[in-house]
Amino acid sequence: MNNKEKYEYWLEAAKYDLETAKVMIDGGRYVYVAFMCQQSIEKLTKGIYTLYTGDEPPRIHNIWALFKELERKDDFIEVINLDDYEENLEKYKSFLAELLSFYISGRYPNYKQKMSSLINRDRAKRILENTEEAFKWIESLSLYKE
């Protein structure tokens, strides 16, 4: 597979996870809404990484760290609008940190139980809306690589 095909693979997986998050809202599985949102953004970011580098993305789940790793790649930095990129990354910084907590909660039962008590429908809807917004921005980064 070439870089574009690898990206498309990650993009489809990310879209599937985002759609799953939407289904979880209706089912009242709010912690899973957040977990699937985290998975969606992580996979999309890994797709962007693969698109620009051709390498397999690092096996980490911290989306912020993935972006920081990507910033070290000349093939990325040389073609994107750096000012726009940095502005958006800063805009989503705290949201990406929030998403990381839901990756952890999806993996550890005791933490998942604790997080479940902290997330209600309104918070899940906000996370989903923020995810959809961030998803659009991250997906737009692929447009620089033609």
Side-chain angles (χ1 to χ4, degrees):
M1 280 196 290
N2 64 34
N3 293 11
K4 182 78 170 164
E5 291 168 329
K6 290 177 185 178
Y7 167 73
E8 293 292 333
Y9 167 81
W10 283 106
L11 176 62
E12 288 308 310
K15 286 180 177 180
Y16 185 88
D17 288 348
L18 186 55
E19 289 303 313
T20 300
K22 292 175 185 177
V23 171
M24 292 291 106
I25 280 271
D26 294 333
R29 303 287 178 111
Y30 305 129
V31 76
Y32 286 104
V33 170
F35 176 70
M36 296 312 297
C37 285
Q38 185 283 332
Q39 287 290 286
S40 177
I41 295 296
E42 178 185 331
K43 289 174 184 174
L44 182 58
T45 304
K46 287 181 175 183
I48 293 293
Y49 183 94
T50 301
L51 179 65
Y52 282 95
T53 67
D55 298 331
E56 290 300 313
R59 294 181 181 255
I60 58 175
H61 306 287
N62 184 321
I63 300 160
W64 180 262
L66 285 168
F67 276 116
K68 290 303 177 181
E69 182 67 28
L70 189 55
E71 287 177 12
R72 291 194 276 258
K73 306 295 183 179
D74 290 338
D75 288 346
F76 180 69
I77 293 300
E78 290 174 358
V79 297
I80 64 162
N81 178 327
L82 193 56
D83 290 336
D84 181 58
Y85 170 79
E86 289 176 346
E87 180 181 318
N88 277 297
L89 192 58
E90 188 60 34
K91 174 182 173 181
Y92 294 114
K93 183 177 184 176
S94 63
F95 178 64
L96 297 177
E98 180 182 18
L99 284 181
L100 180 60
S101 71
F102 294 113
Y103 170 77
I104 294 168
S105 70
R107 293 300 216 210
Y108 299 99
N110 290 342
Y111 195 72
K112 180 170 63 177
Q113 185 177 13
K114 180 180 178 185
M115 289 303 289
S116 292
S117 68
L118 300 176
I119 185 166
N120 59 21
R121 183 174 180 83
D122 289 338
R123 186 172 182 198
K125 284 178 72 174
R126 181 188 56 77
I127 291 166
L128 182 57
E129 289 167 1
N130 288 342
T131 298
E132 291 174 318
E133 181 183 311
F135 194 103
K136 287 178 187 174
W137 167 65
I138 298 167
E139 187 177 17
S140 78
L141 294 174
S142 71
L143 301 177
Y144 292 103
K145 184 76 171 178
E146 292 296 326

